Amino acid sequence: MAERTFPGIEEHPDILALRARSERATTTVTAQICEGLGLLAGLYLAASAWIVGFDATLPTLAVTNLIAGLAYAFFMGGGFGSAYERTHAMSWAAAGIGVWTIVAPFVVSGARSSHPAAEIVSNAVVGGLAVVFAATTGALGQMAKRRT
């Protein structure tokens, strides 16, 4: 008697349709630009303490920015090379990291009477850009979902 073999879940028609829809969302030029700029924003955030120069005065914020920047870059495409079509789903978590980046200087460094202006400006600008890039990438994925 011959054994019947069934295709794996990765060959299910619904899964294939979902992947095709996600691939269409991320193959647009806008999505690729947003993901690329998001990746650069994450790498800048990770290195910003050393670029701006507050690594010695605020080491806790430097470590926080390093971790948040690497996580953001991972979510925006750096860690999903084989699953590129699904990176837009992780962009909402990346948007949360962007919001955290904006408030982190005040939360992490405690009740300081003064914060270096460069630290606040750097975190606010890169955090704002991170939210914009992540939200745009996520919205493009949602628009592709509505079209199908």
Side-chain angles (χ1 to χ4, degrees), residues 38-109:
L39 182 63
L40 290 175
L43 294 176
Y44 171 79
L45 177 59
S48 65
W50 293 273
I51 294 171
V52 176
F54 59 86
D55 58 314
T57 57
L58 296 166
T60 307
L61 184 61
V63 171
T64 300
N65 281 3
L66 176 65
I67 293 169
L70 293 175
Y72 185 85
F74 181 80
F75 284 149
M76 287 301 287
F80 294 106
S82 65
Y84 182 74
E85 72 273 3
R86 289 172 273 179
T87 58
H88 71 270
M90 298 303 291
S91 65
W92 298 111
I97 293 173
V99 171
W100 167 253
T101 300
I102 295 169
V103 300
F106 307 104
V107 174
V108 172
S109 59

Side-chain angles (χ1 to χ4, degrees), residues 16-55:
L16 295 175
L18 178 66
R19 284 188 181 156
R21 180 188 48 133
S22 296
E23 183 64 33
R24 282 192 305 274
T26 58
T27 56
T28 65
V29 174
T30 305
Q32 291 177 350
I33 288 172
C34 283
E35 288 181 357
L37 290 173
L39 182 63
L40 290 175
L43 294 176
Y44 171 79
L45 177 59
S48 65
W50 293 273
I51 294 171
V52 176
F54 59 86
D55 58 314

